[in-house]
DNA sequence: GCATTTTTTATACATACGTACAAATAAATA
DNA sequence: TATTTATTTGTACGTATGTATAAAAAATGC
């Protein structure tokens, strides 16, 4: 029995609802099907990676036949991109909104480092900890994607623009700091954010804790920790 | 043409040397074969992930027939573990050595935060930047493994013990800080370390730089940044 | 010098994969 | 009511996968 087969026998959180009959569904039922496929793909890609999750697994987890996935999303790569894009758009919206508000409050002055760190990281960690299972799967998927060649292009497409805006504000608030250092600090912050939400169990093992520390607690630590890190970059 | 097939046509750094004949090679030639297989597997696992790299690809990259891989390493999972283990042992040795020296220098007193950060991170970043191609591939592989379920057990097996020793020293140096915060800081440090060596090209894109920043420069920034982060944890 | 061991090649097998095609069915449209 | 469109099912195809078996060939050991 291969590892993939072992994994395939795992229960998935996406309940198959009902076996459905062929035929055009009434109303926008197809949108619902698309969401179900994306949910199932999100979980499987997060758990097993792009190559480890098959289209068959996705279809089965969504309670559909194989070809329905291809019908709605085309080839596998497009399905993967659709999974990432769905919540990336939401995430980017939240971050841009927070940035706009912070800019307004600052009224022309530089935004504080702590505020920038908080505003960038908070939507992700809040979604991953308070959101539904889909958000948790999405967070795990993004963590897995972070250092992989496959993820690079997708992340660039969906997240780089907003990242650059935050970096510009960080550099403004850290006048005198080497801009490259600020980028490194930003990268460190993102890496820590993804690590917190990955739920690998490593922090528990390293601290001897029995249960997982609430991501909100780690979030507060992350904000303090990385704010201090950024501030030290101004000291040449 | 599938994506995997496109990738398969890429040139690999492991040159096939010569087609060899069957039969027992003289001397410890088999050790050399094992190293070649590990080198090829290291690169392919780093580039394409566990499921994305096939045993056939590994064998071809090493200039061998398919079954030679299975002969030397058994099933695929054992090959993967052997790839990780080979350099993990070296890395762990360097870190423990550095820690022992630092303890001796401190002579019973707590080791400085900056020293601990430097000693833990330095072997990895130095190997990944000054070492041969194998070390670069290994660093990329570890980054890819960091947030994946598959990597969790392997990392635990090879890296947790040393990590706990460093964390204990960090907690000693940060008397008064919440031990859980220290673990979060350590996790952040490791995540940043892996991100620097992943060579995804994202820092270049975010900073507008044409070429990659030398990892040594990022290393110095990481040390400063994370030392400041740890120090702020003592302020309740 | 002959038998044994080690390592490699060559081939085979059952399964899983991504994708495509044809048919069926129900809603929407006219 | 007749036609079209949208969506799902069922099946099929060629290829790739992990693993196993059999054979061959070179070095070693007695």
């Amino acid at each position: 029995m291969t590892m993939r087969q072992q994994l395939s026998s795992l229960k998935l959180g996406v309940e198959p609802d009902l076996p459905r009959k062929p035929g055009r569904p009434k109303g926008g039922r197809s949108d619902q099907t698309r969401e179900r496929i994306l949910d199932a793909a999100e979980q499987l890609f997060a758990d097993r990676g792009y190559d480890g999750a098959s289209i068959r697994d996705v279809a089965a987890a969504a309670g559909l036949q194989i070809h329905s996935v291809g019908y709605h999303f085309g080839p596998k790569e497009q399905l993967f991109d659709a999974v990432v894009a769905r919540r990336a758009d939401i995430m980017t919206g939240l971050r841009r909104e927070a940035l706009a508000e912070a800019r307004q409050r600052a009224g022309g002055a530089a935004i504080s480092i702590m505020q920038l760190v908080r505003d960038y990281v908070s939507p992700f960690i809040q979604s991953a900890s308070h959101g539904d299972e889909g958000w948790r799967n999405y967070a795990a998927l993004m963590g897995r994607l972070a250092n992989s060649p496959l993820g690079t292009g997708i992340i660039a497409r969906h997240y780089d623009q907003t990242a650059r805006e935050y970096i510009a504000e960080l550099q403004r608030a850290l006048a005198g700091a080497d801009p490259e250092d600020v980028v490194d600090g930003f990268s460190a912050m993102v890496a820590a954010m993804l690590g917190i939400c990955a739920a690998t169990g490593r922090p528990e093992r390293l601290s001897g804790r029995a249960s997982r520390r609430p991501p909100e607690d780690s979030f507060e630590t992350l904000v303090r920790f990385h704010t201090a890190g950024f501030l030290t970059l101004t000291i040449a």
Side-chain angles (χ1 to χ4, degrees), chain A residues 40-51:
Chain A
E42 189 170 57
Q43 168 158 20
L44 287 162
F45 284 140
D47 285 350
R48 312 179 193 175
Y50 179 81
D51 288 291

Side-chain angles (χ1 to χ4, degrees), chain A residues 14 45 48 65 79 83 91-92 141 143 148 163 168-169 179 183 193 199-200 204-205 208 215 230:
Chain A
V14 184
F45 284 140
R48 312 179 193 175
Q65 292 299 317
L79 170 65
V83 167
M91 189 59 50
T92 293
L141 176 59
S148 81
E169 290 290 345
V183 171
M193 174 190 81
T200 60
E204 294 88 300
R205 285 199 312 278
F230 276 119

Side-chain angles (χ1 to χ4, degrees), chain A residues 134-152:
Chain A
W135 274 107
R136 281 197 298 280
N137 292 330
Y138 184 76
L141 176 59
M142 296 312 293
R144 182 186 261 265
L145 235 51
N147 292 330
S148 81
L150 173 64
T152 307

